[in-house]
Amino acid sequence: MNKQDQPLIFEMSTPGRIGFSLPELDVPEMETEELIPEQFIRKEEPDLPEVSELQLMRHYTALSKRNHGVDSGFYPLGSCTMKYNPKINEDVARYPGFAFIHPLQEEDQVQGAMEMMYNLQENLAYITGMDEVTLQPAAGAHGEWTGLMMIRAFHEANGDFNRTKVIVPDSAHGTNPASATVAGFESVTVKSHEDGLVDLEDLKRVVDENTAALMLTNPNTLGLFEEHIVEMAKIVHEAGGKLYYDGANMNAIMGFARPGDMGFDVVHLNLHKTFTGPHGGGGPGSGPVGVKADLIPYLPKPVLVKKDDKFHFDYDRPQSIGRVKPFYGNFGINVRAYTYIRTMGPEGLKQVSENAVLNANYMMRRLQDAFVLPYQQHCKHEFVISGKKQKKLGVRTLDMAKRILDFGYHPPTIYFPLNVEECMMIEPTETESKETLDEFCDVLIQIAKEAEENPEIVQEAPHTTVVSRLDETTAARKPILRYQKEQ
Ligand SMILES: *Cc1c(COP(=O)(O)O)cnc(C)c1O
């Protein structure tokens, strides 16, 4: 037994035990050498665990229960929109007509799937106020990069080769400056004002004839709506720059406001956030990008178009930035998002934003006395609190995050955004009940009290998990992903 009291599957092995039963071979047996070239044949038998089917089942089921997921508990990870993934989406994604088609099939045979994609594009264009949408990008950051490449192609087509800078507020999501850099731009920071919103004077200072675009995360990572958005759009447009809207958190404004109406030229959405795609384990995601008319020629190809009531992939796009993803995007996630949009309807989607904002504000007000609330105004879908008060007592935000694990919840995002000391960024989502929000607030308030009365219990947390404090840097930099059997 290893010290985590669950044996490794290798430790459960009993020689000769098997986990399968197959009928007798009823075809002539062939020698391995006849099937596989000599150099690829292993010289020794692999050292595999020998267990029964039931042992195997119990082992992996036990391991899976150690995971925390949206289906097992509250997951208020700020900026990640860990909301419930309706199971009807899964049913529809498994329809044979969707699940068993192949991307190389003739267009004539997959008109239904293409119609679904086309309708989704149209719906997303409507929701964002854009003229056309591509479903190709596989994630939010991928959408950002795709959008910036289109902006670059636009400027270059206008003979504007000196637009090398992308302006990014310091309250933007971390992927924004990263995408700008990967797309070959110089990322220039614009500061926030003390109210948490972009400082317009600083914006005017950094905008010039080299500005390719402004990338705006709205609501920003403090959960605040950029109130001067129309003015910002004007400043950047007048300088000849384009406006990029990071719409990953569209669940804050959906049905109430549209980036297209605010003057934005490009927007990406995260279907794996706002539109209920599951996003555990790094994917698959979907980050569609919408553009205004003057950027349509640069959309990734092929572009899905409708002609004479038939759907068709158009490759004849000489100004396209090219393909950004094999085939046509993460089709299965797009089916889930389309199912969600159709089951909710326009009124339902609007209510989503309303409830996401209500839930966040409710929690923020319940927590404002136990912690420090750095921004007093109403928030959108998420908010930040600071553990400054607790830090003075020797309890860090990291300690409190670890203590939350003892209560069976996933902790919020911590130490981000960087401009808030000892930050905790909480996003409840609209799918949680008031009871869950209250229980979680009670836990946080209790932890704040523990920090005053019994700090050790917080500093030494978690107490109930299989492992306690890990060396997270080494775990990330030098992960041990494979069992090394002792000889
Ligand atoms: C999640 C998020 C992103 C990045 O999306 P990925 O799919 O993780 O690449 C970008 N911007 C904002 C505001 C986000 O919340």
Side-chain angles (χ1 to χ4, degrees):
M1 296 268 273
N2 68 346
K3 56 178 181 304
Q4 299 172 25
D5 75 19
Q6 160 122 14
L8 297 172
I9 193 147
F10 289 94
E11 293 164 342
M12 292 159 46
S13 185
T14 307
R17 188 167 289 175
I18 54 169
F20 61 90
S21 56
L22 292 174
E24 294 272 321
L25 196 63
D26 61 357
V27 291
E29 193 163 349
M30 291 177 81
E31 293 300 323
T32 314
E33 289 75 10
E34 295 175 61
L35 299 166
I36 301 170
E38 167 79 33
Q39 72 264 36
F40 297 127
I41 301 176
R42 54 164 82 237
K43 304 285 174 285
E44 292 158 26
E45 289 284 311
D47 192 5
L48 296 176
E50 297 174 82
V51 293
S52 72
E53 181 174 332
L54 180 58
Q55 278 180 307
L56 187 76
M57 199 54 165
R58 287 189 179 150
H59 179 71
Y60 284 107
T61 302
L63 289 182
S64 75
K65 284 188 189 160
R66 289 184 173 180
N67 257 339
H68 187 89
V70 178
D71 287 357
S72 51
F74 188 41
Y75 207 138
L77 195 63
S79 204
C80 293
T81 316
M82 304 302 288
K83 69 198 235 179
Y84 177 63
N85 315 125
K87 297 308 165 227
I88 187 174
N89 296 356
E90 302 301 318
D91 284 351
V92 176
R94 284 167 180 74
Y95 283 177
F98 288 143
F100 297 127
I101 53 174
H102 193 280
L104 291 178
Q105 260 172 278
E106 297 290 335
E107 288 179 1
D108 275 348
Q109 300 171 350
V110 290
Q111 284 290 305
M114 291 170 79
E115 182 174 358
M116 187 286 299
M117 291 170 69
Y118 187 83
N119 290 348
L120 177 60
Q121 287 179 184
E122 296 274 293
N123 286 179
L124 297 177
Y126 183 73
I127 289 168
T128 53
M130 291 288 159
D131 294 319
E132 249 185 66
V133 167
T134 173
L135 300 177
Q136 272 192 38
H142 193 196
E144 292 168 27
W145 176 83
T146 302
L148 290 170
M149 294 304 280
M150 286 191 266
I151 289 173
R152 166 195 295 270
F154 170 86
H155 288 312
E156 290 184 357
N158 289 321
D160 227 351
F161 292 95
N162 292 325
R163 295 199 177 265
T164 52
K165 294 181 182 168
V166 170
I167 299 171
V168 185
D170 58 7
S171 60
H173 193 266
T175 50
N176 291 186
S179 299
T181 306
V182 174
F185 292 102
E186 183 192 338
S187 157
V188 180
T189 308
V190 58
K191 287 206 255 325
S192 302
H193 207 251
E194 54 200 43
D195 61 3
L197 304 179
V198 170
D199 182 338
L200 286 185
E201 290 312 311
D202 200 44
L203 178 64
K204 285 182 199 152
R205 195 181 57 76
V206 297
V207 169
D208 60 19
E209 69 283 0
N210 300 126
T211 300
L214 166 80
M215 282 184 100
L216 193 73
T217 302
N218 187 51
N220 66 25
T221 51
L222 303 168
L224 304 177
F225 190 91
E226 292 289 351
E227 288 168 19
H228 310 295
I229 209 159
V230 175
E231 227 170 318
M232 290 163 69
K234 195 157 162 264
I235 294 169
V236 176
H237 272 161
E238 276 174 3
K242 288 280 177 200
L243 283 152
Y244 186 100
Y245 189 103
D246 180 335
N249 305 134
M250 192 70 189
N251 50 324
I253 62 163
M254 185 164 56
F256 289 91
R258 308 193 306 170
D261 300 334
M262 301 173 197
F264 282 74
D265 303 291
V266 189
V267 56
H268 86 262
L269 297 169
N270 277 32
L271 301 192
H272 47 291
K273 290 183 181 167
T274 306
F275 298 92
T276 64
H279 54 153
S286 182
V289 175
V291 294
K292 285 281 178 66
D294 56 356
L295 287 163
I296 290 177
Y298 313 102
L299 282 169
K301 64 182 177 182
V303 177
L304 175 57
V305 293
K306 185 175 178 182
K307 218 165 104 190
D308 306 329
D309 269 336
K310 283 190 73 173
F311 302 92
H312 167 63
F313 285 115
D314 183 8
Y315 286 83
D316 186 18
R317 295 275 173 149
Q319 290 184 290
S320 166
I321 60 164
R323 201 190 264 288
V324 301
K325 169 94 172 65
F327 302 116
Y328 318 105
N330 276 330
F331 181 74
I333 293 297
N334 295 339
V335 174
R336 288 168 175 83
Y338 185 62
T339 307
Y340 180 65
I341 290 172
R342 294 303 300 267
T343 48
M344 297 304 284
E347 279 309 311
L349 292 180
K350 190 171 176 184
Q351 217 176 349
V352 163
S353 302
E354 209 168 85
N355 289 340
V357 171
L358 179 65
N359 282 1
N361 278 284
Y362 176 72
M363 288 183 78
M364 182 173 87
R365 296 305 169 199
R366 273 213 61 194
L367 295 171
Q368 65 182 4
D369 297 331
F371 298 88
V372 170
L373 183 64
Y375 303 98
Q376 295 301 321
Q377 63 267 54
H378 292 321
C379 63
K380 283 283 168 290
H381 63 300
E382 66 188 357
F383 62 98
V384 295
I385 50 176
S386 161
K388 261 199 310 208
K389 249 192 328 207
Q390 287 74 24
K391 189 185 175 189
K392 291 204 191 96
L393 306 166
V395 171
R396 306 281 313 265
T397 287
L398 177 71
D399 301 322
M400 294 193 278
K402 296 290 184 195
R403 180 68 178 137
I404 290 169
L405 297 171
D406 286 334
F407 296 90
Y409 298 108
H410 195 286
T413 299
I414 55 171
Y415 297 109
F416 190 83
L418 304 172
N419 46 350
V420 174
E421 196 188 338
E422 296 293 316
C423 187
M424 251 191 245
M425 185 191 199
I426 301 176
E427 179 178 8
T429 85
E430 78 286 354
T431 52
E432 300 295 339
S433 66
K434 178 167 178 294
E435 289 81 359
T436 301
L437 304 184
D438 277 330
E439 284 162 19
F440 185 74
C441 288
D442 291 344
V443 163
L444 279 182
I445 292 165
Q446 179 185 330
I447 293 172
K449 208 159 155 211
E450 287 174 350
E452 287 174 19
E453 295 168 1
N454 185 10
E456 293 80 29
I457 199 166
V458 188
Q459 288 156 339
E460 284 158 24
H463 306 277
T464 59
T465 51
V466 176
V467 288
S468 188
R469 299 277 175 125
L470 301 170
D471 175 349
E472 290 174 11
T473 310
T474 306
R477 300 270 158 80
K478 294 184 196 156
I480 301 169
L481 301 174
R482 202 166 144 235
Y483 174 62
Q484 299 286 348
K485 194 168 179 189
E486 283 162 36
Q487 292 305 315

